């Protein structure tokens, strides 16, 4: 009888221990599963090689890290670093602000289903690192709706040091991701530069690096060479302008593109760097039309417009872009600009 009682006590203890272990293990599994749908931030950004973003209207954008550590829009060239930086910051630092009330979940899911962007993050081997939907914001615009792909529980997300809707950093498509730089070359990397003004042939020129020096000569053979002394430092002062020359926007879908390209351009610039990479930009002027209006106070008629405002730019025979004259004028030098003025020689 005593032995039976001892065995019963041991059985109960063992059974209770097993039940406790299985119960706590089940709780641990639940906690792990619950935590996986909250882990949005990618802390180790060195893993990230590809970003895929899909909109609800069929928009698709794939951004890929290139060999230089920068980013390209797949199949379309370099991505705009000023656009990529906020995106990567959000991917690295997004975090849960709070779990919404049950009453708010239905509306959040509806917003994510209709407005959300799907974000997929991959490593270089093509392994999926993260996948979630982001889009919509709280009433005060300080929180962003987010839900892990395959999860049922949405959250309100934030980023430390930022107050606003994070989803705008993902909300771009096509050319909106692309770098709008026309020229981005250091002075020492420019090997050859030609500047042609079809309507001002005598101001067109070719500039070439010859060892540690430069030569400047007329673009057209019929243009006589200038015999005045060379202006010291003029070439370097000109070339430094090509370190950063950016357009305003892409206009690849512009309906009158073909007809504009049939007109005579204002200027064509071809730049070859020391790696033999060639960039060509053709500038078509946009003249601000004259508009006459009457001043309501004085009754006088005032005419505005009639000046050069912007250019359409054809880059490398592919991209049609829009550029501001105030930004571009620094690269529109003439052949005579590199030589001393006649008045200074007298």
């Amino acid at each position: 009888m005593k032995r039976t009682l001892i065995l019963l006590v041991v059985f109960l203890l063992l059974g209770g221990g097993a039940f406790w272990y299985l119960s706590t293990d089940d709780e641990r599994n639940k906690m792990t599963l619950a935590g996986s749908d909250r882990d949005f931030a990618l802390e180790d950004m060195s893993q990230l090689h590809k970003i895929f973003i899909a909109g609800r209207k069929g928009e698709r954008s794939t951004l890929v890290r290139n060999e230089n550590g920068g980013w390209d829009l797949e199949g379309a060239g370099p991505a705009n670093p000023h656009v990529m930086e906020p995106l990567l910051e959000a991917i690295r630092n997004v975090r849960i602000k709070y779990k919404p009330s049950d009453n708010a979940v239905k509306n959040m899911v509806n917003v994510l289903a209709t407005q959300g962007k799907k974000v997929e993050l991959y490593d270089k081997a093509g392994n999926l690192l993260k996948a979630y939907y982001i889009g919509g914001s709280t009433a005060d615009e300080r929180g962003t709706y987010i839900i892990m792909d395959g999860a049922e529980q949405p959250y309100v997300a934030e980023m430390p040091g930022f107050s606003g809707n994070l989803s705008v950093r993902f909300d771009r498509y096509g050319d909106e991701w692309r770098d709008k730089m026309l020229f981005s070359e250091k002075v020492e990397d420019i090997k050859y530069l030609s500047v042609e003004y079809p309507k001002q042939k005598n101001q067109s020129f070719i500039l070439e690096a010859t060892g540690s020096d430069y030569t400047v000569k007329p673009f057209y053979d019929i243009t006589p060479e200038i015999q005045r002394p060379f202006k010291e430092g003029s070439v370097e002062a000109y070339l430094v302008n090509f370190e950063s020359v950016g357009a305003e926007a892409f206009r690849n879908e512009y309906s009158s593109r073909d007809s504009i390209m049939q007109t005579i351009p204002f200027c064509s610039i071809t730049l070859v760097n020391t790696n033999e990479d060639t960039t060509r930009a053709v500038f078509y002027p946009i003249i601000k039309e004259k508009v006459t209006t009457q001043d309501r106070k004085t009754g006088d008629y005032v005419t505005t417009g009639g000046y050069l405002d912007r250019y359409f730019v054809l880059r490398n025979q592919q991209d049609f872009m829009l550029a501001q004259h105030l930004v571009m004028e620094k690269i529109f030098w003439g052949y005579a600009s590199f030589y001393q003025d006649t008045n200074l020689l007298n």
Side-chain angles (χ1 to χ4, degrees), residues 321-341:
M321 308 171 79
L322 189 66
Q324 296 182 16
H325 172 66
L326 291 175
V327 176
M328 297 296 112
E329 62 180 344
K330 66 183 180 181
I331 61 174
F332 296 141
W333 284 32
Y335 175 38
S337 303
F338 299 95
Y339 296 86
Q340 293 184 24
D341 296 335

Side-chain angles (χ1 to χ4, degrees), residues 269-288:
I269 297 179
T270 301
L271 186 152
V272 181
N273 65 19
T274 52
N275 292 325
E276 301 297 333
D277 298 322
T278 300
T279 303
R280 178 173 169 81
V282 183
F283 298 83
Y284 300 89
I286 302 174
I287 306 299
K288 190 80 170 181

Side-chain angles (χ1 to χ4, degrees), residues 31-318:
M31 288 177 65
T32 301
L33 290 172
S36 67
D37 73 349
R38 301 166 60 97
D39 187 19
F40 295 98
L42 183 64
E43 296 180 0
D44 184 4
M45 294 293 285
S46 65
Q47 299 180 71
L48 185 60
H49 181 73
K50 184 171 74 172
I51 305 167
F52 174 75
I53 302 174
R56 295 299 188 181
K57 296 181 180 180
E59 316 96 306
R60 300 288 187 272
S61 298
T62 302
L63 300 152
V64 182
R65 193 190 295 270
N66 58 41
E67 295 178 356
N68 299 321
W71 289 85
D72 295 333
L73 178 65
E74 192 171 58
N80 187 339
H82 300 295
V83 172
M84 288 302 302
E85 185 177 344
L87 173 67
L88 296 173
E89 184 184 27
I91 290 172
R92 181 175 57 249
N93 295 316
V94 61
R95 70 180 186 187
I96 299 301
K97 186 175 184 179
Y98 61 83
K99 180 180 177 180
S101 65
D102 293 341
N103 294 333
V105 167
K106 183 177 180 181
N107 176 63
M108 290 176 64
V109 171
N110 288 336
V111 171
L112 284 162
T114 55
Q115 302 176 21
K117 300 276 186 182
K118 185 175 184 182
V119 180
E120 296 178 358
L121 310 177
Y122 295 88
D123 65 14
K124 194 169 185 177
N127 300 310
L128 183 65
L129 301 172
K130 304 276 184 184
Y132 51 82
Y133 293 87
I134 186 168
S137 66
T138 55
D140 61 4
E141 292 285 339
R142 295 183 179 180
T144 306
Y145 300 162
I146 194 168
I147 187 171
M148 198 67 76
D149 185 29
E152 297 181 357
Q153 175 64 55
Y155 296 93
V156 173
E158 64 176 359
M159 186 177 74
F162 174 78
S163 179
N165 188 345
L166 278 175
S167 64
V168 297
R169 302 187 178 207
F170 300 80
D171 193 15
R172 296 178 185 274
Y173 173 67
D175 288 341
E176 294 176 348
W177 290 109
R178 299 181 62 195
D179 193 350
K180 297 190 289 290
M181 296 300 292
L182 295 174
F183 299 102
S184 179
E185 295 287 352
K186 295 180 180 179
V187 173
E188 60 270 22
D189 293 335
I190 298 176
K191 178 181 178 180
Y192 170 94
L193 189 69
S194 70
V195 180
E196 178 189 6
Y197 300 102
K199 294 184 178 181
Q200 294 176 287
K201 289 182 169 57
N202 66 329
Q203 291 300 324
S204 305
F205 62 91
I206 294 174
L207 188 158
E208 290 184 274
T210 54
S212 60
D213 206 354
Y214 298 93
T215 60
V216 180
K217 62 183 181 181
F219 183 88
Y220 295 97
D221 293 337
I222 60 173
T223 303
E225 291 192 18
I226 295 175
Q227 300 302 319
R228 300 193 304 272
F230 206 66
K231 192 183 297 180
E232 186 177 353
S234 59
V235 170
E236 292 82 357
Y238 177 61
L239 294 181
V240 75
N241 294 320
F242 287 86
E243 289 187 349
S244 179
V245 184
E248 183 178 4
F250 285 92
R251 288 292 184 268
N252 283 320
E253 304 302 322
Y254 189 64
S255 59
S256 300
R257 168 178 173 162
D258 291 341
S259 60
I260 289 171
M261 289 168 53
Q262 298 303 313
T263 64
I264 298 174
F266 165 69
C267 180
S268 298
I269 297 179
T270 301
L271 186 152
V272 181
N273 65 19
T274 52
N275 292 325
E276 301 297 333
D277 298 322
T278 300
T279 303
R280 178 173 169 81
V282 183
F283 298 83
Y284 300 89
I286 302 174
I287 306 299
K288 190 80 170 181
E289 294 184 1
K290 290 184 179 180
V291 178
T292 302
T293 56
Q294 186 176 22
D295 191 301
R296 292 183 178 180
K297 294 182 179 179
T298 65
D300 296 334
Y301 287 91
V302 179
T303 300
T304 59
Y307 57 87
L308 182 59
D309 181 44
R310 284 175 167 80
Y311 300 92
F312 285 114
V313 186
L314 179 64
R315 183 178 71 178
N316 294 333
Q317 298 296 316
Q318 296 176 342

